[in-house]
Amino acid sequence: MQLFSREKAHNNKERVEQIILAKYNQYYRLAYNYVHNEADACDIVQNGAYKALRSSDTLQNPEFAETWIYRIMLNECFRYFKQTQPLSYETVFEEETKAEYSKDSETSIDLQRALDTLPKKEKAIVVLKYFEDKTLEEIATILDENVNTVKSKLYRSIKKLRGVLSDGENMQDYKISNGKDI
């Protein structure tokens, strides 16, 4: 009997490892959208990957492994903000060099700042929908929410973003990275 559980745990670990390797860039983008720092985003993904691999034997339904890993990565992003962050030279340097970006980069920065004004769950919904191209059903599963709740939070978040971004600016300039209007 124990042989089957070891085999299942081994299969889960292999499946989780394959998903992490295949979707590593998506997890990195997700983390970067939260922390705006390459090193911190890498740390978040590494910690999330470690935790997913370490606890892969607790995965009950391997068909939901991808959603399970997304949830772990989101929790790592949320955990990052609970920690006190020391001010580093890289952070100061990034803030100073933001002024050197072009108009497209300024739009991108404005959009990122607008996203940062949203509560964590609402920001997660917008990022998963527009940056990660997840369906509402997938987002609901990842966040352990009802699909209708996700829809209402998404539309409320978009309305908030429009309000923040329309402070004297033309909304035609603001598009999500995959070309979708907000």
Side-chain angles (χ1 to χ4, degrees):
M1 186 75 168
Q2 201 171 29
L3 176 65
F4 292 120
S5 64
R6 284 186 185 160
E7 186 176 316
K8 180 183 175 190
H10 180 70
N11 289 342
N12 281 351
K13 189 170 186 171
E14 283 182 4
R15 182 171 177 83
V16 167
E17 186 176 344
Q18 289 171 352
I19 291 170
I20 290 171
L21 290 174
K23 305 248 178 202
Y24 187 89
N25 289 336
Q26 289 180 1
Y27 300 140
Y28 172 79
R29 281 194 318 266
L30 176 73
Y32 189 82
N33 277 322
Y34 277 92
V35 297
H36 316 296
N37 182 308
E38 291 179 17
D40 290 338
C42 286
D43 288 345
I44 287 170
V45 174
Q46 289 298 319
N47 289 338
Y50 171 74
K51 287 180 180 180
L53 287 169
R54 187 184 69 201
S55 58
S56 63
D57 58 336
T58 65
L59 180 61
Q60 295 175 0
N61 297 325
E63 62 271 9
F64 298 122
E66 189 175 325
T67 302
W68 180 73
I69 296 169
Y70 253 103
R71 184 68 193 159
I72 290 172
M73 295 298 174
L74 274 175
N75 285 338
E76 283 301 307
C77 291
F78 298 154
R79 188 172 290 112
Y80 170 85
F81 288 111
K82 289 180 183 176
Q83 301 171 354
T84 56
Q85 301 299 321
L87 190 60
S88 67
Y89 172 75
E90 290 84 14
T91 307
V92 173
F93 182 73
E94 280 182 24
E95 292 296 323
E96 289 176 359
T97 58
K98 282 184 181 179
E100 298 174 17
Y101 289 124
S102 67
K103 171 81 171 115
D104 289 338
S105 294
E106 289 174 14
T107 300
S108 183
I109 291 169
D110 289 343
L111 179 59
Q112 194 61 56
R113 286 183 181 150
L115 279 171
D116 289 341
T117 65
L118 296 175
K120 288 190 287 188
K121 278 231 176 170
E122 290 180 14
K123 180 179 179 181
I125 291 170
V126 172
V127 167
L128 289 171
K129 176 67 177 160
Y130 293 106
F131 291 90
E132 299 297 327
D133 291 325
K134 297 292 181 188
T135 65
L136 293 174
E137 292 78 17
E138 290 173 324
I139 296 169
T141 305
I142 291 169
L143 297 177
D144 196 27
E145 294 275 355
N146 183 323
V147 175
N148 290 329
T149 304
V150 170
K151 283 181 191 177
S152 65
K153 286 183 179 182
L154 176 64
Y155 296 124
R156 190 177 322 122
S157 300
I158 290 172
K159 191 174 184 177
K160 288 178 185 176
L161 288 173
R162 283 186 177 142
V164 170
L165 293 173
S166 66
D167 294 342
E169 296 292 329
N170 185 356
M171 284 303 295
Q172 304 271 330
D173 294 338
Y174 296 98
K175 292 188 180 283
I176 300 293
S177 66
N178 62 4
K180 297 178 183 175
D181 286 329
I182 56 167

